[in-house]
Amino acid sequence: DVQLVESGGGSVQVGGSLTLSCVASGYTYISYCMAWFRQAPGKEREGVAHLDSDGTTNYADSVKGRFTISEDNAKNTLDLQMDSLKPEDSALYYCAAEPILVCALVAGVGGFGFWGQGTQVTVS
């Protein structure tokens, strides 16, 4: 099975930046959709950004232009660069993976089979 371990969360001031990293191991398929989700207290888990196996990216409207998802295949990491952070970005951020070519074919949160434990981001 795929194991995902996030890191990089923390507390930051409004307008600041953070980079989250997700180390992946245990791949058994060639292609994966990789994604970042977040969940604030009392709210549903929501997609932030995802990365298709061909490198295509997609972002939630709320983070477009501020967040960047990328991967380092040599290190097996999925990163999320977060700039111009706002208080509403505060949440527990999760890395997720699903062995599929195109993320658009994944049926939302429930469609991802592999999850990390989450890393907390607090913006104030």
Side-chain angles (χ1 to χ4, degrees):
D1 287 348
V2 176
Q3 291 82 44
L4 304 171
V5 180
E6 303 97 332
S7 63
S11 296
V12 64
Q13 292 184 338
V14 173
S17 298
L18 277 176
T19 300
L20 306 183
S21 290
C22 172
V23 178
S25 61
Y27 284 132
T28 56
Y29 294 90
I30 295 175
S31 301
Y32 285 82
C33 164
M34 302 295 296
W36 285 97
F37 286 80
R38 66 186 181 187
Q39 187 167 19
K43 294 189 177 181
E44 293 187 354
R45 191 170 299 187
E46 63 175 359
V48 174
H50 63 243
L51 178 67
D52 286 348
S53 57
D54 68 354
T56 302
T57 59
N58 191 275
Y59 298 90
D61 288 342
S62 59
V63 307
K64 278 181 182 176
R66 300 189 297 120
F67 289 13
T68 304
I69 187 172
S70 62
E71 64 180 349
D72 185 330
N73 289 325
K75 297 180 180 180
N76 276 347
T77 61
L78 178 75
D79 294 335
L80 184 69
Q81 174 67 41
M82 305 185 296
D83 298 318
S84 302
L85 283 162
K86 304 176 181 180
E88 53 263 42
D89 294 318
S90 297
L92 192 59
Y93 282 72
Y94 295 92
C95 175
E98 179 63 17
I100 195 168
L101 285 175
V102 180
C103 293
L105 298 178
V106 181
V109 174
F112 284 86
F114 303 101
W115 293 86
Q117 81 290 348
T119 186
Q120 180 68 41
V121 172
T122 302
V123 185
S124 60

